[in-house]
Structures are given as C-alpha cells and as structure tokens.
Amino acid sequence: MQHKANMKKLIAGNWKMNGSLATNEVLLAALAEGLTNDRPSCDVAVCVPAPYLAQIQALKLTHSSLSVIDVGAQDVSAQASGAYTGEVSAAMLKDFGCRYVIVGHSERRQYHFETDALVADKAKAALASGITPIVCIGETVAEREAGRTEEVVRRQLAAVIRGNGHCISEVVLAYEPVWAIGTGKTASPEEAQAVHAVLRAQLKAATDQSARVKILYGGSMNAANAASLLAQPDIDGGLIGGASLKAPDFLKIIAAAHV
Ligand code: PEP
C-alpha cells in the first residue's frame, strides 16, 4: 500500500556554514516579502548556524509574514551539559526557540566522524528537550554503485529506532544520498521514492505511528525539480541546502509543496 501523505509537507532550509548578520537580514526580508501574499500550505523551517539563532528570532518579530517559518539548528550535543567545550546542548537550542535540529548530516558523519550510535544519541537529546530532530541518512556513491543503498539506509535508520524506541514517530527523517548533496546531481523521483518506500516499511515495522513520520528528500533539490520529487507518495518534504540561500528559489520550492 502506498503512503498517501495527507499531512502537511515540510520544506526545511539548511544554510550550512553560510550567512552573516547583513546577508541574513537581506535573505529574510526577501522571504518575508514573498510570503506576505502567498501563505504556504506546507510547514517551513530554516536551519541556521547557531550564532544567528537570536538574530533570526528577532527578524521574525520584525516581519510578521515570517511567523510561518520555524527555526532550526544544524547540530546538537548528545550531552545535556558540562565539560564539553564547543558543544551546544538541546536545552540551549530550546532557549533560542528552536523547533528543529538537523542531526547526522552527511557532512558531520564525514568530517566529524559521527557514528550511527552518536546520531541516535543526538536525536534522543533533541527529543528530550522537545525539539524535533531531522535525522539525515543516505548512501555514498560507492555504496550505491555496490548495490548497498538499502542496506546502508536501513542500518542508519535502525540505529535511530533502537536508540529512540516509541519516540521514533516524533522524528523527521531526511533521505539524502551523499552523491546528490551540493553536486547538482539529484536522485530521480523514482530512485528517491524507492528508498523512501523502504524507509516507510521499516518505520511501519517499528511503530504503528509510521504514517505520521515525515520523510524528506534532500540532495540538490531546486526550483525546477522540486515539484516532481514532492509528488512522490512517500516524499513528505525537502531538506534544501544551496537553494535555501536564494529567496526566489526557496519560495518556489515552498510553493511546490502542496499537501
Ligand atoms: C543539504 O545540505 O542537506 C543539501 C541537501 O544540500 P544541497 O541542497 O545543496 O544539495
């Protein structure tokens, strides 16, 4: 049976390590203008570098049309507090009004050696503070070429299910094939849907609430390809990197995300 998403889709921007006080202001003003006459029918979030969380919250108060945008962070510590220099806890993110936090992005798995177990712990820490983790999973090009896509994403998701028990229905999943991130190469709608269906089935075996888990696609989603990806039955939204830094593109993706 195909998942027919009658829940709102989620379009989440991942700004990565980009932005400045000045450019953030320009970007949000442009988003505010675009959203003034065009209220989105999907949920929208921007996941910004932690130092800018306060600025983004302040800009939301300045532009009333930005009230539809939730704010997220890009990483969180698995620890609650203490001697962990440089880390930011989930409670701190909550203090700054974060609704979401990305965990396990492939750039963190690759450059910061984050393991499946650590990603699961980070998701748990976020949930304990009332923040929805956007858990990223996805295979590398070598894994895809070796026919190991399903095995890899199932392993990554299994760790999060194991670490989070019945709370698994509270997470957002993002399938992001590593070879598609920032490369301009997108999984075709059919390739993405095939993996999303595998993940949906795995969630279904873990919880009777699987239908409410949003599974986002991420990897070079843009204004031109968003509609066809978002039309797939198990694609419940998008995690958008590069295109989320360009207001006209991000607005077009938001407009493409109908229920
Ligand atoms: C991402 O960083 O999560 C991402 C999907 O990036 P891009 O859209 O630039 O491929």
Side-chain angles (χ1 to χ4, degrees), residues 58-145:
L59 287 169
K60 277 179 52 131
L61 297 176
T62 309
H63 303 282
S64 59
S65 64
L66 293 182
S67 62
V68 296
I69 297 189
D70 286 310
V71 177
Q74 300 173 9
D75 184 33
V76 66
S77 177
Q79 309 297 331
S81 65
Y84 300 100
T85 302
E87 296 263 75
V88 175
S89 74
M92 292 170 187
L93 297 180
K94 189 73 181 172
D95 266 352
F96 281 86
C98 277
R99 161 110 195 255
Y100 298 102
V101 62
I102 297 171
V103 299
H105 192 280
S106 64
E107 288 150 14
R108 295 212 58 89
R109 291 180 190 259
Q110 184 180 351
Y111 305 134
H112 300 270
F113 312 107
E114 294 196 4
T115 61
D116 292 344
L118 179 60
V119 173
D121 283 348
K122 289 186 171 197
K124 190 172 182 172
L127 288 168
S129 285
I131 298 175
T132 301
I134 300 176
V135 181
C136 299
I137 60 179
E139 81 287 2
T140 63
V141 72
E143 288 162 342
R144 174 160 282 260
E145 284 172 357

Side-chain angles (χ1 to χ4, degrees), residues 239-257:
L239 183 57
I240 323 295
S244 71
L245 296 168
K246 300 175 207 140
D249 297 41
F250 196 51
L251 288 165
K252 280 188 199 129
I253 296 170
I254 291 168

